[in-house]
Amino acid sequence: YLFLMKTFLLTILCNFTCSVIAFSQSSNLRWIELNPEGTTAVEGNLTEGVDMPDLSWAWNSAVACFPATQASKFTGKHVLYALELPAYTELEIDLIPADKSANFSLYAYEVGTISESNTVPTLSQCIRCEADHKWDYKVKGKTQDHTRHVRDILAIANPYQVIIGVVGADGLKEGAYRLEVRRKG
């Protein structure tokens, strides 16, 4: 009986591990490790991303990342990064395009555990999603440059996993950038 039970548990563990490995290898996620003391920076290019013709996940009310009226700002290549967000931690995320005239957008969302069903474009719900893109009009008392910023990605008592999307606006498919993730708390 004990032998059968060990064999059963080992089979379940192997199946779970194999499916997790298959997901991470087949997905387009780039895992980054947070610097516990400050800022984590990665360099990238939109050419490393994927096209995402269906953006309807973003304006689904259980996601609410950006409205359909702003879809054109997310029509270029999407480069996706993933990271672990420890409990009692807040993140500030900055995207700095190498070319100041390039139009980029940025989004980040939190989920309990990353899986194929909660990774864009199949995302049906998340804990929180924030986005930044070029404004359509001036905002009184504020100015905007070529950089994009996402704030309020946070975990209180429970840890989460975060997916960050670096995107070209208006169909932009190429362009170098620097992504900076600052840990607060």
Side-chain angles (χ1 to χ4, degrees):
Y1 174 77
L2 189 56
F3 174 76
L4 289 175
M5 192 59 134
K6 284 182 182 178
T7 304
F8 176 72
L9 289 174
L10 188 57
T11 302
I12 289 174
L13 179 62
C14 179
N15 286 341
F16 175 74
T17 303
C18 293
S19 66
V20 168
I21 290 170
F23 169 69
S24 62
Q25 288 175 344
S26 67
S27 73
N28 293 306
L29 293 176
R30 289 155 182 77
W31 283 87
I32 55 178
E33 188 81 26
L34 275 182
N35 177 349
E37 303 286 321
T39 301
T40 303
V42 294
E43 309 269 332
N45 195 304
L46 288 177
T47 57
E48 303 163 0
V50 296
D51 290 319
M52 198 172 300
D54 181 10
L55 296 172
S56 61
W57 56 268
W59 46 85
N60 170 352
S61 63
V63 174
C65 202
F66 55 86
T69 57
Q70 299 302 319
S72 67
K73 297 185 175 107
F74 297 86
T75 55
K77 294 266 189 182
H78 289 238
V79 182
L80 302 177
Y81 295 91
L83 57 89
E84 301 281 342
L85 179 62
Y88 306 105
T89 304
E90 181 178 355
L91 298 181
E92 291 184 354
I93 304 164
D94 294 324
L95 171 64
I96 304 113
D99 178 356
K100 292 183 178 186
S101 66
N103 190 0
F104 279 68
S105 296
L106 176 67
Y107 61 87
Y109 65 89
E110 297 175 48
V111 293
T113 303
I114 294 173
S115 68
E116 195 166 353
S117 65
N118 64 16
T119 303
V120 295
T122 58
L123 179 67
S124 62
Q125 64 180 4
C126 64
I127 294 155
R128 170 188 304 255
C129 188
E130 303 292 336
D132 190 23
H133 51 77
K134 187 174 181 179
W135 302 338
D136 292 328
Y137 51 87
K138 293 183 179 189
V139 176
K140 187 176 180 178
K142 294 185 178 185
T143 58
Q144 186 180 43
D145 60 15
H146 65 291
T147 62
R148 303 291 174 255
H149 315 280
V150 167
R151 305 289 180 262
D152 302 323
I153 300 297
L154 54 100
I156 306 297
N158 297 313
Y160 294 109
Q161 292 186 322
V162 174
I163 294 181
I164 301 168
V166 174
V167 189
D170 302 317
L172 184 65
K173 297 183 183 299
E174 185 177 339
Y177 60 83
R178 178 178 174 88
L179 183 67
E180 295 180 354
V181 182
R182 260 182 318 289
R183 181 179 174 159
K184 297 172 64 178

